[in-house]
Amino acid sequence: MRITVIGAGVMGTVLLRAIAKAHPGARLTAIDTDSAKLQALRRMRRVAVASDISVAVPADVVCLAIKPQDVNALALPKLQPKTLVISVMAGVTVQRIAAATGSKTIIRAMPNTAARFGKGFTVWTASRLISRRQKNFARSVFKAMGDELYVSSETDVDRATAVSGSGPAYLLYAAACFIRAAKKTGFSDEHARRAVLKTFDGTNALLATGEKVDELITRVASKGGITEAALKVFKRLGTRRIWTQAVRAAFTRARQLAR
């Protein structure tokens, strides 16, 4: 199987590694106009590199890992209708990809940055003419990047863009605020960072138990205790409303890009 990844940035590299892991016999090619990015990929075994986008035409699978704003500026190759196209471009619809490439078998996916470590979450959908074999191929690649979820509509992919796609930045922002607050109590920078990151790590283990989040909170926050004092501040300042508005704003922006 001949597979070409257009875009040799972070996500393009993640896709190449995932495909190599899931399909070790595949013939892989990476295409990018940035020679430095291609040079970095030369260290990967069994990956050919090229700067000419027309090299993608004979491929059985073409992965689009370019920036969404580049989709109009870059002359994408005209492909056969049954060539599988996998796009990880945020906000770029199946219809636009079909118009740009000529393919009728398209998968639109939204992974997140944790895919670099095999801990990602990819939400994806497919065009109507996609085959079971093509779906299974895509699923195997996304599983090599972490976990995956197939959804029936592109609107759900936009929702995922606002939640799991952008979500790591929200949690990193929360961690940054938490570290800053810990330093305000007198912790050194090193100790504040360590305390907060270990707390995040342990909390993830609690979430992995499958228990309801509200019940886990209640178990930590005893009546009239220290934790409850902090939670009362969050509630008084409307933190839940802020989170809702932030995710809604991201979803609105994702829908705007899709249109």
Side-chain angles (χ1 to χ4, degrees):
M1 181 182 287
R2 296 166 298 180
I3 302 171
T4 297
V5 176
I6 300 177
V10 173
M11 195 50 65
T13 303
V14 168
L15 281 168
L16 284 165
R17 288 174 176 160
I19 294 167
K21 179 181 178 181
H23 300 274
R27 293 165 55 189
L28 302 175
T29 301
I31 298 176
D32 203 294
T33 56
D34 189 324
S35 58
K37 291 178 180 177
L38 293 180
Q39 185 62 35
L41 286 178
R42 291 183 193 277
R43 293 191 294 269
M44 290 183 64
R45 292 178 58 194
R46 299 187 297 103
V47 176
V49 299
S51 57
D52 184 358
I53 203 164
S54 66
V55 172
V57 174
D60 302 297
V61 180
V62 174
C63 300
L64 301 178
I66 57 178
K67 294 179 180 179
Q69 58 267 35
D70 291 342
V71 71
N72 292 326
L74 189 64
L76 293 177
K78 291 300 179 181
L79 306 171
Q80 294 298 315
K82 291 186 178 181
T83 300
L84 175 61
V85 175
I86 299 176
S87 169
V88 296
M89 297 184 291
V92 183
T93 64
V94 166
Q95 185 177 9
R96 285 179 66 192
I97 297 165
T101 64
S103 172
K104 296 184 182 298
T105 53
I106 297 166
I107 285 172
R108 181 184 165 196
M110 177 44 56
N112 59 20
T113 55
R116 292 170 57 193
F117 314 106
K119 296 288 186 180
F121 185 61
T122 303
V123 179
W124 59 287
T125 194
S127 60
R128 187 173 54 86
L129 297 178
I130 211 86
S131 70
R132 183 186 297 273
R133 182 171 174 271
Q134 289 171 323
K135 270 189 176 183
N136 288 339
F137 171 84
R139 182 174 282 111
S140 68
V141 172
F142 300 146
K143 281 186 176 296
M145 294 159 56
D147 201 358
E148 54 80 32
L149 174 66
Y150 174 80
V151 293
S152 59
S153 76
E154 289 192 75
T155 301
D156 286 336
V157 175
D158 291 330
R159 290 191 180 95
T161 303
V163 179
S164 56
S166 300
Y170 311 157
L171 297 180
L172 289 168
Y173 181 75
C177 292
F178 199 177
I179 291 170
R180 193 174 297 115
K183 288 167 64 177
K184 290 286 186 181
T185 69
F187 267 123
S188 68
D189 184 72
E190 179 189 351
H191 289 173
R193 178 181 172 84
R194 184 178 175 190
V196 169
L197 297 191
K198 287 297 182 181
T199 300
F200 266 68
D201 191 35
T203 303
N204 187 54
L206 287 173
L207 289 169
T209 65
E211 295 184 63
K212 292 182 178 179
V213 177
D214 286 343
E215 292 178 0
L216 290 170
I217 293 172
T218 301
R219 191 175 305 163
V220 178
S222 56
K223 191 73 172 177
I226 296 169
T227 306
E228 187 184 60
L231 292 177
K232 283 181 177 179
V233 176
F234 286 136
K235 291 176 182 178
R236 186 173 72 248
L237 296 178
T239 305
R240 182 176 294 177
R241 185 176 67 255
I242 291 170
W243 272 88
T244 300
Q245 290 176 348
V247 174
R248 186 176 293 146
F251 175 56
T252 299
R253 182 58 180 151
R255 293 300 294 154
Q256 289 172 344
L257 289 173
R259 287 193 291 268

